[in-house]
Amino acid sequence: MAKQEDVFKKVVSHAKEYGFIFPSSEVYDGLSAVYDYGQNGAELKNNIKQYWWKAMVQLNENIVGIDSAILMHPTVWKASGHVDAFNDPLIDNKDSKKRFRADVLIEDYCAKLEDKAQKEIEKAAKRFGEAFDKAQFEATNPRVIEYREKQQKILSRMAKSLDDNNLADVKSLIEELGIADPDTGSKNWTDVRQFNLMFGTKLGASAENAMEIYLRPETAQGIFVNFLNVQKTSRHKLPFGIAQIGKAFRNEIVARQFIFRMREFEQMEMQFFVPPGTELDFYKQWKEKRMNWHLALGLGEENYKFHDHEKLAHYANAATDIEFKFPFGFKELEGIHSRTNFDLSAHEKHSGRKLQFFDPERNESYVPYVVETSIGLDRMFLALFSHCLKDEVLEDGSERTVLSLPPALAPVKAAILPLVKKDGLPDFAEKIFNDLKFDFNVISEEKDSIGKRYRRQDAIGTPFCITVDHDSLADNTVTLRERDSMAQERVKVEDLRRIIDEKVNFRTLLAKL
Ligand code: GAP
């Protein structure tokens, strides 16, 4: 089995074993691509939300946050284009009866060509050592050029066929490339069909009067339709932004990578409304700001890259993805899009209401342009969780699993551990708990040996363990153990709050932005 599959399996099992993520309705064997967050998962998720909300809303004078409803008037989705165009091309394998996204099968084929190109580059790098000039090799090596040209040709043809809704050609491409069902090797495919990803439901008491509505597939439209309400009541002038965190639903055809692609998930989105003609400057600024937000977490610059879109949606004039190195490779974590005035204009047209801003400097009214930043909360969770989960071999040869989360995001900030369950140590621990609980999420644990308790806290990412022993009663000191270095120091009980706060507060993180 490939190593990255092992890593991913470990991520999934660790998330379940330590109360981060459970399959939804597990007692009924689960519901595909739907997950529940457990006691530690909910804390981590809340902390990620806080980091995003504080960075976007609290630190920016001209951004406010809202919380709009999941259910919206159905015309919203007609105007936004989701009713007509929020489709994925699907294909079934007649032998295995498995369903695939046709575009993903083709993209995976291209990814294999890229792997081959990378192998050539790696081989050459080894052969030439320090003298290796990667850029020159990529530009001149016939095999690398061939692999890349082939990818380009395939992807352009697919993009054109999808654009023209020529689904027969998408199927021909799959057949010409000899793409087989990855699990069974069968090449017996059905035709390609379009499949709308929105979940429909009904609003109303009786069947005759019920209105067909949708669970929102993105939170952004709740921001667009509230643009004027917020602008007028907040009295913000352009440029200003509206942020929101909330659930979104997509009936994904293939949802295999744990919480990477879910049917119910959360988005953290911000729409920045700007005067026409200034949008590309703000787009550049937001690209930089959002990348800094990620880098401040300290997971390593090499694990992020921009993927600028060459082919743009008809309403966008610039778009990029921030990709993260997940255990299964670089994949989209966040999207940043310059969406022109497409959405507000579409809502003006469908609602018959003006959604404009009177600009006193330009002395004119116009439909604002929009730069959007959109990140999946669950994907951000997976990025952090998979990157921070590590198996370490210690100096004495023993092993530990540690979740080295940025301290501000850790579910539990400190665990208070009385060495034994007697001699007044639990009471002493309780006093510390009762003092710290107003500032931090802390827990107290008495069961098992101290070593086992340390390991358990390492596994859920707790930055500090506070051990209460017999000396504590005499001199009011405790042993403070730090998660990453495992260094232990004796500290006064009255210094605990300050020491913990210095390490775990959001200020330190936010000050880096
Ligand atoms: N309003 C723009 C929008 O929704 P998107 O690229 O479709 O754009 C934005 O989604 C982000 O939402 C993605 O970058 C990803 O992080 C997250 N996302 C999208 N679909 C998802 C899914 N099925 N499961 C989990 N996260 C998802």
Side-chain angles (χ1 to χ4, degrees):
M1 190 187 297
K3 198 165 174 282
Q4 64 180 33
E5 278 177 38
D6 286 345
V7 173
F8 199 50
K9 268 193 167 174
K10 163 106 189 173
V11 166
V12 177
S13 66
H14 192 91
K16 185 167 175 217
E17 190 181 343
Y18 287 92
F20 285 89
I21 300 171
F22 309 122
S24 157
S25 348
E26 198 189 5
V27 290
Y28 295 102
D29 294 333
L31 183 66
S32 164
V34 185
Y35 291 91
D36 296 337
Y37 285 83
Q39 67 282 12
N40 290 320
E43 293 289 344
L44 173 53
K45 208 173 169 200
N46 278 338
N47 293 339
I48 300 171
K49 282 191 210 179
Q50 267 204 59
Y51 175 42
W52 186 86
W53 192 268
K54 283 176 191 290
M56 301 300 270
V57 178
Q58 198 173 313
L59 296 197
N60 290 292
E61 238 180 297
N62 59 355
I63 297 183
V64 293
I66 65 164
D67 183 10
S68 72
I70 287 171
L71 304 179
M72 302 181 77
H73 193 285
T75 311
V76 166
W77 306 111
K78 186 76 193 153
S80 67
H82 285 81
V83 170
D84 297 319
F86 195 50
N87 300 321
D88 275 345
L90 70 83
I91 191 165
D92 291 290
N93 187 281
K94 289 186 199 163
D95 296 326
S96 69
K97 310 276 182 264
K98 280 206 172 146
R99 182 159 284 181
F100 297 89
R101 264 177 64 176
D103 55 336
V104 171
L105 285 177
I106 295 168
E107 278 164 11
D108 286 350
Y109 180 92
C110 290
K112 282 190 195 133
L113 291 175
E114 182 55 27
D115 284 348
K116 286 184 183 169
Q118 289 300 335
K119 283 211 178 95
E120 293 291 337
I121 297 167
E122 277 164 30
K123 265 195 318 203
K126 265 197 201 139
R127 206 167 51 238
F128 293 113
E130 290 209 340
F132 183 57
D133 181 340
K134 187 166 173 248
Q136 197 201 352
F137 185 80
E138 285 178 303
T140 54
N141 180 271
R143 270 195 294 265
V144 172
I145 292 172
E146 190 193 323
Y147 290 136
R148 296 218 164 131
E149 279 179 357
K150 194 168 174 196
Q151 284 178 61
Q152 208 52 50
K153 228 169 118 188
I154 294 169
L155 291 174
S156 315
R157 178 167 155 198
M158 178 179 83
K160 181 164 184 335
S161 306
L162 288 174
D163 256 8
D164 300 346
N165 207 19
N166 183 356
L167 300 180
D169 191 57
V170 178
K171 183 179 179 187
S172 303
L173 188 54
I174 287 177
E175 287 175 336
E176 283 167 36
L177 297 173
I179 295 176
D181 177 330
D183 301 323
T184 65
S186 162
K187 296 180 185 170
N188 193 4
W189 296 110
T190 63
D191 288 341
V192 178
R193 284 169 294 145
Q194 289 289 18
F195 176 77
N196 192 286
L197 298 185
M198 282 197 294
F199 281 105
T201 186
K202 287 192 166 42
L203 185 107
S206 65
E208 315 84 75
N209 299 332
M211 190 189 213
E212 294 272 356
I213 58 167
Y214 301 98
L215 302 187
R216 67 180 176 198
E218 62 171 13
T219 61
Q221 298 303 324
I223 295 179
F224 287 124
V225 296
N226 276 301
F227 160 70
L228 263 195
N229 286 336
V230 177
Q231 192 272 319
K232 285 189 174 148
T233 52
S234 67
R235 299 156 61 99
H236 274 299
K237 289 200 177 72
L238 262 55
F240 87 100
I242 305 177
Q244 148 152 264
I245 300 177
K247 289 262 178 172
F249 303 82
R250 295 182 189 180
N251 198 0
E252 299 281 359
I253 299 168
V254 188
R256 288 208 192 99
Q257 285 156 324
F258 193 35
I259 57 168
F260 182 80
R261 198 175 299 287
M262 302 160 89
R263 297 205 162 101
E264 174 179 342
F265 58 101
E266 272 186 87
Q267 290 185 315
M268 306 192 284
E269 299 200 291
M270 193 277 300
Q271 314 295 133
F272 204 65
F273 299 92
V274 305
T278 63
E279 71 277 7
L280 291 178
D281 289 335
F282 286 108
Y283 168 76
K284 247 173 81 186
Q285 283 178 26
W286 279 108
K287 260 180 87 167
E288 196 182 324
K289 277 190 173 202
R290 291 304 305 151
M291 185 57 104
N292 287 344
W293 183 88
H294 288 282
L295 295 180
L297 290 169
L299 307 192
E301 214 171 327
E302 67 285 3
N303 293 310
Y304 300 88
K305 64 181 182 197
F306 283 116
H307 171 218
D308 293 336
H309 294 201
E310 278 165 30
K311 215 187 143 304
L312 296 167
H314 62 278
Y315 52 79
N317 61 6
T320 195
D321 296 333
I322 294 180
E323 292 189 343
F324 181 75
K325 197 170 177 199
F326 288 96
F328 36 84
F330 272 101
K331 294 272 183 235
E332 175 185 344
L333 172 59
E334 169 157 8
I336 299 158
H337 314 118
S338 173
R339 295 180 71 119
T340 66
N341 59 0
F342 169 81
D343 301 86
L344 287 179
S345 299
H347 289 305
E348 271 204 330
K349 199 170 125 217
H350 282 79
S351 67
R353 307 272 181 90
K354 278 214 173 318
L355 295 174
Q356 303 196 356
F357 171 76
F358 177 74
D359 186 332
E361 276 166 35
R362 295 189 183 191
N363 195 27
E364 58 169 341
S365 290
Y366 51 74
V367 179
Y369 273 46
V370 171
V371 175
E372 166 185 75
T373 74
S374 174
I375 174 168
L377 173 55
D378 312 84
R379 255 183 221 185
M380 186 60 207
F381 187 112
L382 183 61
L384 278 161
F385 195 85
S386 57
H387 178 87
C388 296
L389 186 63
K390 288 170 195 143
D391 284 326
E392 286 180 356
V393 180
L394 307 180
E395 273 175 16
D396 63 1
S398 64
E399 287 177 21
R400 72 162 181 165
T401 298
V402 59
L403 190 64
S404 55
L405 292 167
L409 304 187
V412 176
K413 304 303 188 212
I416 304 147
L417 314 172
L419 196 58
V420 290
K421 269 194 241 174
K422 52 183 186 181
D423 305 336
L425 301 194
D427 291 342
F428 194 93
E430 195 182 340
K431 266 196 227 140
I432 298 177
F433 177 90
N434 282 333
D435 180 38
L436 294 179
K437 72 181 180 187
F438 295 103
D439 295 293
F440 313 107
N441 188 30
V442 287
I443 57 168
S444 192
E445 259 204 355
E446 297 179 357
K447 203 171 159 285
D448 289 329
S449 70
I450 199 74
K452 273 196 184 152
R453 281 182 275 171
Y454 282 159
R455 291 289 175 271
R456 237 194 111 65
Q457 295 308 317
D458 287 345
I460 65 167
T462 307
F464 289 110
C465 286
I466 299 164
T467 306
V468 174
D469 56 23
H470 291 93
D471 289 344
S472 305
L473 306 183
D475 62 7
N476 213 32
T477 63
V478 287
T479 300
L480 189 68
R481 172 187 181 270
E482 198 271 328
R483 176 193 70 198
D484 297 331
S485 63
M486 292 183 290
Q488 301 190 6
E489 59 169 334
R490 204 70 193 170
V491 303
K492 289 195 188 126
V493 169
E494 61 262 35
D495 290 338
L496 280 172
R497 189 180 322 139
R498 178 186 49 79
I499 299 172
I500 297 171
D501 184 69
E502 274 169 11
K503 182 99 176 173
V504 309
N505 69 39
F506 271 105
R507 198 177 196 291
T508 315
L509 195 52
L510 293 167
K512 294 185 196 165
L513 300 178

